[in-house]
């Protein structure tokens, strides 16, 4: 079974690296590891669990540092079902709903209230 390391980076720490099996979501892996990650719907219809892709294993960095363009989350994640709470532009800017996302590469993801504030309110609120 393939697994990928996903590092969850929080503004105020601590950062945690979680091994995620190919058939589990990032949220499921964090719960198995005893790491808290906010969530609500578990179906991709709210933004409570949103994160932003910062880097892939190959060292490709997001626009927060060396790159001018954000990473497309499709480069690192597939979904259990369509992430209805994100627009196409948000997905292209690296935002990912971790409750339904399966990693396909080792990566770093920024999480926390600042990331959620960047996306805004759920479209269904």
């Amino acid at each position: 079974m393939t697994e990928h390391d996903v590092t969850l980076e929080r503004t105020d720490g601590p950062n945690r690296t979680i091994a995620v099996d190919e058939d589990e979501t990032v949220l499921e892996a964090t719960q198995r590891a005893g790491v808290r990650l906010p969530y609500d719907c578990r179906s991709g219809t709210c933004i409570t669990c949103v994160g932003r892709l910062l880097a892939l294993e190959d060292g490709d960095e997001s626009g927060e540092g060396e790159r001018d363009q954000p990473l497309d989350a499709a480069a690192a994640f597939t979904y259990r079902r369509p992430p209805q709470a994100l627009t196409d532009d948000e997905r292209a800017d690296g935002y990912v709903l971790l409750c339904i996302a399966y990693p396909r590469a080792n990566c770093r993801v920024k999480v926390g209230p600042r990331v959620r504030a960047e996306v805004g309110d759920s479209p269904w609120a």
Side-chain angles (χ1 to χ4, degrees):
M1 178 174 288
T2 303
E3 67 179 29
H4 299 285
D5 289 335
V6 176
T7 300
L8 303 174
E9 295 190 10
R10 301 175 197 273
T11 302
D12 53 356
N15 297 336
R16 294 289 305 266
T17 299
I18 310 295
V20 184
D21 292 335
E22 64 184 348
D23 62 346
E24 69 181 345
T25 67
V26 175
L27 176 62
E28 292 166 343
T30 60
Q31 291 178 327
R32 176 178 44 77
V35 175
R36 295 182 68 192
L37 183 68
Y39 68 94
D40 189 13
C41 72
R42 299 183 75 113
S43 61
T45 59
C46 77
I47 61 162
T48 304
C49 66
V50 71
R52 188 168 194 197
L53 181 62
L54 296 175
L56 295 171
E57 178 184 43
D58 65 2
D60 205 5
E61 296 288 330
S62 76
E64 294 187 2
E66 301 164 12
R67 285 179 46 122
D68 293 332
Q69 299 297 318
L71 294 173
D72 187 337
F77 294 95
T78 58
Y79 282 109
R80 174 179 289 164
R81 59 180 58 96
Q84 297 176 347
L86 294 176
T87 66
D88 291 343
D89 288 343
E90 289 166 338
R91 283 183 274 171
D93 283 343
Y95 293 101
V96 58
L97 298 178
L98 299 171
C99 71
I100 57 170
Y102 300 108
R104 294 299 174 243
N106 295 343
C107 58
R108 293 178 19 234
V109 178
K110 183 172 140 184
V111 295
R114 288 188 185 170
V115 177
R116 184 172 176 198
E118 292 169 5
V119 175
D121 292 329
S122 169
W124 316 113

